[in-house]
Amino acid sequence: MIITILALVSIQGPILAAADKALQFGATTNDYMKYYPNMTPFANAFSACTWVMKGRVPPSVWHAPIILDYHTNPVHNIHELLMTDNGGFNRLFNGMQFDGNLGSSFSAPVGTWFHYCVTWSSSSNMQRIYYNGAQVGIAAMPAGSTLTPGGVATMGNRRDIHSYYPFGGKISKFNIFSREMSAADVKAMSDAGVCSSIEKERFGDSRALTWEYILDQPKTGNVVAQDVDTCADEEMKEEIERLQKELDEAEQALKDYKAACEEAKNSLRDELNTTKTAAAEREAELEKEINSLKEQLEEAVKQQCPGEGIWTVPNKVIGKKINKKQLKRWKKAGEKELVRYLSSWKGARLTKKLAKYIECFETV
């Protein structure tokens, strides 16, 4: 009798893929982007979709942190497309139907990612607002409306830069598609999460103004491209879960194999010695593979913070902004590690999260 033994799946792939990017905007009137996108593909239909993380709580819904102000009219408050993170303004063709009416729908707290879409087409003649995949607003647009090309896009404030409207938060994967997305499409993007690539993989054929293009545009003041920490954490979690699953499968295979060996011993007395020898050899192989999987699992866990214990950011500098003057002081005071590990973060504020990232990944 031949005893069939299940083979284990080998470990493949990198531990961690490169993290997705976000743009972090400062909360002052000095922190914004201005550029001149080609809006021609969106004359008769578009869907502007992005992931957003609020960075501040404005004093009122009217002091709305502006994500995008696309503007063609020299008058400051005539907006082709205006998007804010608190629902205060959602203007298209300067329509004011939603002004002040969607604040309760944009309920994500500061520091939490949410998905935000504005869609329209000349065929439907409807502007639709989506928050986390659900439609929260709909309004008819004037007949014959088209999106005018040749304007300026301002991100992080309105076109004329006003103290009411600094964004102060983060955006990721801001894309404008050259068609009106269906509710199912928008929900699919939202459900996929901030770390997915669904915008490019599933809807890439209509992605006419891309996140990659926006990342390359000029930045004024404190506007910084950075990795989305959530994505790195999720990829690491998935890798650990994959290794754990393979370990469980290997242990189950060993258990099943032992049972098969016992059955063979009872039913095939004449082949007992041969079966025992084969069982022992296979058991050793499986245990070796299990040990290998355990070692890889332990290594994957360690990779969550490979630099732990090498160097710790002193508590006294947490909360400080890293600037040229501060670096000179540390250098003069002989703080070599501070200068060594924090020089590349000049211009950033040293939050606890940033300090943890530096300790884990920039000290090794």
Side-chain angles (χ1 to χ4, degrees), residues 9-297:
V9 178
S10 62
I11 303 294
Q12 295 180 358
I15 294 297
L16 184 63
D20 288 352
K21 293 292 182 182
L23 281 175
Q24 168 73 67
F25 287 77
T28 75
T29 54
N30 297 320
D31 310 318
Y32 58 88
M33 296 173 61
K34 277 186 183 290
Y35 55 97
Y36 298 85
N38 177 17
M39 301 297 277
T40 303
F42 315 116
N44 297 307
F46 76 87
S47 298
C49 299
T50 184
W51 285 93
V52 182
M53 180 185 287
K54 297 177 182 177
R56 66 185 185 91
V57 179
S60 78
V61 72
W62 304 111
H63 292 211
I66 290 178
I67 299 168
L68 171 69
D69 178 11
Y70 176 65
H71 215 291
T72 58
N73 194 302
V75 179
H76 72 82
N77 62 348
I78 304 297
H79 312 275
E80 285 281 315
L81 176 60
L82 181 64
M83 300 171 68
T84 62
D85 77 1
N86 70 342
F89 301 109
N90 286 277
R91 292 188 184 179
L92 177 61
F93 310 130
N94 207 46
M96 302 182 185
Q97 299 93 328
F98 298 117
D99 284 11
N101 295 327
L102 297 181
S104 60
S105 297
F106 284 66
S107 56
V110 169
T112 301
W113 286 108
F114 67 91
H115 194 250
Y116 175 21
C117 271
V118 179
T119 70
W120 164 85
S121 72
S122 57
S123 58
S124 72
N125 204 36
M126 291 291 179
Q127 178 190 7
R128 291 179 170 87
I129 312 297
Y130 295 88
Y131 171 86
N132 278 343
Q135 182 177 293
V136 295
I138 183 171
M141 294 292 99
S145 296
T146 60
L147 193 69
T148 305
V152 58
T154 306
M155 285 183 150
N157 210 306
R158 74 182 189 188
R159 179 177 181 173
D160 62 329
I161 310 301
H162 194 287
S163 60
Y164 282 5
Y165 307 117
F167 175 39
K170 297 181 182 181
I171 58 171
S172 185
K173 297 185 179 175
F174 193 114
N175 295 280
I176 304 184
F177 305 87
S178 58
R179 65 182 178 91
E180 181 181 16
M181 293 282 191
S182 68
D185 289 340
V186 174
K187 187 174 188 304
M189 272 194 284
S190 177
D191 289 348
V194 67
C195 299
S196 80
S197 55
I198 188 173
E199 297 87 352
K200 188 174 183 179
E201 294 179 356
R202 180 169 168 182
F203 304 116
D205 58 336
S206 61
R207 199 172 63 114
L209 194 152
T210 70
W211 177 231
E212 292 85 352
Y213 167 81
I214 292 172
L215 283 171
D216 284 340
Q217 298 314 298
K219 301 166 183 67
T220 300
N222 185 19
V223 181
V224 181
Q226 57 185 223
D227 290 340
V228 179
D229 292 337
T230 304
C231 298
D233 293 342
E234 286 189 10
E235 289 182 16
M236 182 61 69
K237 181 180 178 181
E238 289 174 2
E239 181 65 13
I240 292 172
E241 288 175 351
R242 183 181 71 83
L243 290 171
Q244 184 62 58
K245 182 180 178 181
E246 291 190 4
L247 177 60
D248 292 342
E249 290 173 351
E251 290 177 336
Q252 184 61 46
L254 177 60
K255 180 180 179 181
D256 293 344
Y257 178 76
K258 287 181 176 180
C261 286
E262 188 65 28
E263 181 182 350
K265 184 177 68 173
N266 295 331
S267 63
L268 302 173
R269 293 184 179 275
D270 293 341
E271 298 179 20
L272 180 60
N273 292 333
T274 303
T275 302
K276 282 184 176 180
T277 301
E281 291 175 353
R282 186 54 180 156
E283 184 175 342
E285 290 175 3
L286 288 170
E287 288 177 347
K288 183 177 180 181
E289 292 179 23
I290 289 170
N291 290 334
S292 176
L293 287 171
K294 286 181 177 179
E295 290 175 0
Q296 292 181 59
L297 179 60

